[in-house]
Amino acid sequence: MKLLTDLFSFWLAQAGKLGEQTLQHIGLTAASLLLGVLVGVPLGLWLTRRPRLAPWVLGAAGILQTIPSIAMLGFLIPLMGIGHWPAILALFLYALLPIIRNTVAGVQGVPAAVVDAARGLGLTDGQLLRRVELPLALPVLFAGIRTAAVINVGVATLAAYVAAGGLGEFIFGGIALNNPVMILAGAIPAAALALAFDAALAGVQRLSVRNLTRVGRALLVALPLLAGLYLLPRATGKLLAGFSPEFVGRADGLPGLRQAYGLRHLPSVVLAPALVYEAARNVNVDVIDGYSTDGRIKAYQLQVLHDDRRVFPPYYAAPVVRPQLLAAHPELRAVFAKLTGQLSDSVMTDLNYRVDYLHQEPKAVALQFLRRRGLWQAPRPLAPDAAVVRLGSKIFAEQYILTELYAALIRGYTSLDVSTKTGLGGTTICFEALRTGAIDMYPEYTGTGLLVLLQPPPAVVDSLGGNADAVFRYVQLGFRRRYGLEWLAPLGFNNTYALLMRRQQAATLGIASISDLGAYLQR
Amino acid sequence: MVPPVTPAIRAQHLSKHYDGHAVVQDVSFELTPGETLVLLGPSGCGKTTLLRMLNRLVEPDSGTVEVFGQDVRHPRPEQLRRGIGYVIQQVGLLPHYTVAENVGVVPRLLGHAPASIATRTEELLNRLHLPPARYANQYPHQLSGGQQQRVGLARALAADPPLILLDEPFGALDPITRTSIRREFRELEELRRKTMVLVTHDVQEAFELADRILLLDAGQVQQLGTPQELLFSPANDFVRRFFAAEQLALQLRTLRLTDLLPYLVSGSTNNSLSNRNTIPPTATIQEAIEALSNASELTTLAEEQVLFVRSADTGSPISLTISSLMGAFGQAIQHLRRS
């Protein structure tokens, strides 16, 4: 019951968005269906004249059909970028098989005697096709269009991943935020659309051949109109933003940003997190969300807009250690401190770029950095019975690099042995490993410590007000008290949400901060 | 000098192979206008293929066809077919067209005026016992098999083509419907003037409808001639065997009273002749037997019923009883066999 009221209040609150997405969804389906009919029906008719080629063409269309829809979009992105066209093309390819197959089956299903008699009466091949075969194939042909329509309504939800809109925006936002109400808010209208298309075309299919011919013509008029829906409601602005679903839904994401900066004149599309950077690079969109130390910022020449009103919570990286380790080997405190404040946002971005984009080894990148900073020392020989310091990391490049940095320092400045347990999955796994003593240290982010692990009441979070020092002190104290774990001094960079623009465009428009962006949009 | 009549069809040396297998081998025949030719033979003998070569639904490997003096390869196939009626066993009515629309297909293709098409359709439906008020707007699936075949026939006749091709037109009907439709078909005024080529494997049907029969086996002509010629002067063993099972029935249907006149004794009678007790000399033996055994009001002579044949030559009527008829029939058969 709670779910239901939540759902209705969500729809009410997002009525505009819901309407827009539904229209986009219908438009996408109609556009791809129209293309499917315009290509599939003539192709099917041609195949009835070239029956030897039919197995080949149907086989090819069948193979297209078996490609998972996500993979299909993945194939198309390098070719077509993001936006409407890859989505429409993917849906079109899915619509092809049922339409071609049913066109062929429909024509082949026309009784041989009828075709023979019609030929014998003196109908030309074209007349035979137009007046006899095509009309008589219509019921089967419509069944194919119906199948294609239902498939496409379903697959069109994935269009949200390539910034093509549709009801998938709610669904993927809901999945990213683990918010069932939001998922249902998109999934229920999508299912209703599929049922509506199915029922409408089922009704059409039952009509007599004569009426079907009329409906067929009407459909060729109606589909472009419906497809037009897709293009109509697009708001236009000076800049277009592309956001990941999670960013759009999170309170400290887009909603918080709009509250603090306005940004009312910034129309946005939703797309898959993995694609936002590409979209900015390819000038599909101008403003994106991202993480402030992502290597692609450097690779794609993007610029982080300064969060001058501090909407995004601070996510400063710092080593979290077991106090027992420091007690047993006090010399480690000084070793860990060597990195304090050494890694600015741009430095960390650069290191990430080398690993993520240039595909260098995290270990090599770490050593190179230490050498440049004059921190590197050749590993000392191990003391007999040397204790082992176990370092952990989560499963992404930045954490690998940090772990390698610490490992190299420990080897260079102490006689202790080091083992690394990289790739411990997410936050919870790393944290539990540290708490139970499976590892001695791993790098964590203050924002994560606060919101994911400590989870204080909202009032407390508000009172911290995004102040980096306040958050660090709160987390340090909280961990010491609750878990008996120690946060050491932060490394210097803040890996948080960020708004990004292409560097060149930002420079041209004179935008350095999010306030600048807001002012530019207002102008 | 009689001016040479252009044959309705002149087929010369037609051959057709499918995958190296000869379906039709060197078939030639000519048809005078108004004549009905029946292509007869067992299943797979090539008779349908032969028929379909006449309107180019099948293109021959070799040989030529002329229709009313024109080589069929000259006009475009559609143009040719629009001038030739075509009826097939499965009828092949267009299921999404009404009866009237089906009948009007060819005239529409030929660009006839809608009003004249409507008039013609109505006329044909009336003639084929399908009152337009009731049937014109029905769809084929609402009709019985016999009614569908009548519509098929009306469709073939709609543009009044001089030549009609029929491929087992009664083959899909039950025996009772078949007999009645065949009778209608034979009596249809519309068809009297037409040249027709009809395919069948039904010997009775062939004898009933044919002016001449072309008997085929394995794609080759076995004999081409009148029913009487095939029956009494078979060209080979195949022809003889083909009719053996139904020989008597065919003889009774083929021979006419005129053929028996030499063997019937003419005699005077006191009876006044009326339509009821006379029979024309063109009647078949079968019809004479039926008349003799059915009619109850005939003059009885020595406890036998009597019919009188008006002789065309002498004018004096000849009396006919079952026994005199059968005797003469026997003599005639013997004579025909000997000659």
Side-chain angles (χ1 to χ4, degrees), chain A residues 307-333:
Chain A
D307 177 19
D308 50 335
R309 293 185 192 165
R310 288 203 294 212
V311 169
F312 300 133
Y315 280 78
Y316 284 88
V320 186
V321 296
R322 291 173 64 80
Q324 295 88 327
L325 178 71
L326 295 176
H329 308 285
E331 71 273 25
L332 278 175
R333 199 177 274 276

Side-chain angles (χ1 to χ4, degrees), chain A residues 116 119 122 127 131 210, chain B residues 52 81-82 86 96 101:
Chain A
D116 185 47
R119 244 184 238 289
Q127 287 167 334
R131 298 194 193 174
R210 188 167 292 243
Chain B
R52 290 164 69 90
R81 290 173 198 150
R82 287 170 197 173
Y86 186 57
H96 55 309
E101 286 168 337

Side-chain angles (χ1 to χ4, degrees), chain B residues 278-335:
Chain B
T278 59
I279 188 165
T282 51
T284 63
I285 314 298
Q286 173 100 18
E287 285 161 346
I289 292 171
E290 278 165 14
L292 278 167
S293 42
N294 289 345
S296 54
E297 296 171 28
L298 297 180
T299 315
T300 314
L301 197 74
E303 298 185 356
E304 263 196 309
Q305 304 197 302
V306 182
L307 266 176
F308 297 99
V309 185
R310 270 194 237 265
S311 169
D313 323 327
T314 58
S316 65
I318 299 167
S319 70
L320 207 58
T321 64
I322 288 280
S323 52
S324 70
L325 183 64
M326 293 323 290
F329 177 65
Q331 284 177 300
I333 295 289
Q334 275 185 346
H335 177 77

